Amino acid sequence: MLGTVLLLLALAKPACPSLASAASRRAEALKRLLEVFGMEDPPPPPAHFKQPPQYMVDLFNTVANADGVTKNPGILEGNTVRSFLDKTHGEKMRFLFVLSSVAKNEKILTAELHLFRLWPRATDGPKRHHFCQVSVYQVLEKSEPDAPGGKKLLAARLVPLQGSGWEVFAITQAVRDWTKDESSNQGLLVTVQGLGGSPLDPPLLQFASGRDHHESKKPMLVLFTDDGRRGASLPMASFPDLQPQAPILPAKMSMPKVTGPRSTRSLDRLQPCQRHPLSVDFEEIGWSGWIISPRGDNAYHCKGSCPFPLGENMRPTNHATVQSIINALKLSEGVSSPCCVPDKLYSINLLYFDDDENVVLKQYDDMVAGSCGCH
């Protein structure tokens, strides 16, 4: 996509070379931004309007604030959560999830089958059953799963017959098998039996299917994975205070009066080191079609001077303090004053549709400058 745009721009002979140059720089910048997010091309927006699974929306809101900044580090297992909807749309209690979008370098940490338990149907006569046993099997022989060796038990437990809601079953080993050998993915089989293992006729418990029920109740596979991408080693904290830092002057310094016009760069040098907004609007760069949340990213940036003497409010390192002294005393040639840089970085979270229209929650380290200091 972006590569094609760049090629067309290179081959074209526009009347205004400066416009072509600006378009080329923009395309290159967007490509580099995609690389930060671990992508080569932006996923295409869904062909039709799709409501993301409520589980994924709730998970995003638990992990991140409205701007996508992580507010509860450590909640996610790994840095990626992928959701897949059932692709069978046919036989009930048989489920198939296509995992082709899972990258080879992703480590499968946990895999969960989410099934929505429907309200029980009204039945005549006394209610003798209060629980039933639900078993989840990995299908080994697609044509004859009930034959000996045709399936492998993954999870089983007692489920109450009264009420409705989501039931979650761990099926990690099966998904690991499927990602190693895609042809081994023959799907899942779910059975419902009485307490003694006998079949219930009529079945007293049913789960919502992908064919007959609302989108919000469709069977879903949720994967917690880790792609190995990690950021730098600046200190992390819990929920950051993202209010702009106040321009507190270092000790024994006052701001000189500006009596005439100065360049912006000159004025910046007069300001003490502090944090400033640095926003990216996803709609403005054409990404709002595939990114669900947040609407943009405010990464912030650090700008300002680190003059001698460095006060505590400048959050200097010991090295920066020594460098500032040497610079002020001119003890060594070529030693500049310390730089205003981020000293805390926070992760952000994206909730988006991938190339197969599955919903993904991904956490990216070191994306937001939490505070600035002289280093």
Side-chain angles (χ1 to χ4, degrees), residues 25 118 153 191 196 205 222 225 250 263 288 309 357:
R25 287 197 303 271
L118 301 172
L153 181 65
T191 63
L205 181 146
V222 178
T225 72
S263 68
S288 59
E357 299 188 2

Side-chain angles (χ1 to χ4, degrees), residues 50 84-90 94-99 210 219 356-358:
K50 290 192 67 173
F84 303 85
L85 297 181
D86 174 44
K87 297 296 185 182
T88 58
H89 306 301
R94 288 285 298 270
F95 307 101
L96 179 67
F97 302 95
V98 178
L99 308 181
D356 297 328
E357 299 188 2
N358 301 309

Side-chain angles (χ1 to χ4, degrees), residues 268 271-278 298-304 372:
D268 288 344
Q271 296 290 332
C273 176
Q274 58 185 297
R275 194 179 59 169
H276 298 265
L278 177 63
N298 192 349
Y300 293 93
H301 69 117
C302 298
K303 183 172 63 174
C372 302

Side-chain angles (χ1 to χ4, degrees), residues 258-278:
V258 180
T259 57
R262 292 176 180 266
S263 68
T264 303
R265 182 174 299 178
S266 176
L267 289 173
D268 288 344
R269 285 199 296 266
L270 298 177
Q271 296 290 332
C273 176
Q274 58 185 297
R275 194 179 59 169
H276 298 265
L278 177 63

Side-chain angles (χ1 to χ4, degrees), residues 120-146:
R121 295 177 179 176
T123 56
D124 298 330
K127 293 181 172 57
R128 295 174 297 169
H129 302 280
H130 299 283
F131 292 88
C132 63
Q133 177 171 302
V134 177
S135 303
V136 181
Y137 295 90
Q138 177 182 356
V139 176
L140 304 178
E141 297 292 339
K142 183 177 180 180
S143 58
E144 298 183 38
D146 291 326

Side-chain angles (χ1 to χ4, degrees), residues 234 306 314-317 319-320 323 337-343 372-375:
L234 288 184
C306 294
M314 309 304 288
R315 305 166 66 93
T317 60
H319 181 273
Q323 182 175 336
S337 61
C339 297
C340 178
V341 296
D343 59 3
C372 302
C374 292
H375 290 204

Side-chain angles (χ1 to χ4, degrees), residues 186-312:
Q186 303 298 328
L188 301 169
L189 172 67
V190 176
T191 63
V192 178
Q193 297 174 311
L195 295 183
S198 58
L200 296 175
D201 189 23
L204 301 180
L205 181 146
Q206 290 185 329
F207 293 106
S209 66
R211 179 185 59 181
D212 301 327
H213 298 92
H214 188 268
E215 188 89 13
S216 64
K217 297 180 174 62
K218 287 185 176 182
M220 182 171 62
L221 175 65
V222 178
L223 302 189
F224 294 82
T225 72
D226 196 304
D227 64 6
R229 289 167 59 94
R230 285 293 178 264
S233 57
L234 288 184
M236 289 291 292
S238 56
F239 184 57
D241 177 12
L242 292 182
Q243 297 299 319
Q245 294 174 340
I248 303 173
L249 296 177
K252 299 181 181 179
M253 274 200 68
S254 61
M255 289 293 291
K257 293 182 180 180
V258 180
T259 57
R262 292 176 180 266
S263 68
T264 303
R265 182 174 299 178
S266 176
L267 289 173
D268 288 344
R269 285 199 296 266
L270 298 177
Q271 296 290 332
C273 176
Q274 58 185 297
R275 194 179 59 169
H276 298 265
L278 177 63
S279 299
V280 178
D281 187 321
F282 292 146
E283 183 174 1
E284 186 176 322
I285 62 176
W287 289 8
S288 59
W290 59 275
I291 294 182
I292 302 166
S293 290
R295 295 184 176 180
D297 171 33
N298 192 349
Y300 293 93
H301 69 117
C302 298
K303 183 172 63 174
S305 62
C306 294
F308 176 83
L310 293 178
E312 287 298 319

Side-chain angles (χ1 to χ4, degrees), residues 318-331:
N318 288 336
H319 181 273
T321 301
V322 172
Q323 182 175 336
S324 177
I325 294 170
I326 293 175
N327 171 263
L329 297 178
K330 307 300 181 185
L331 296 179

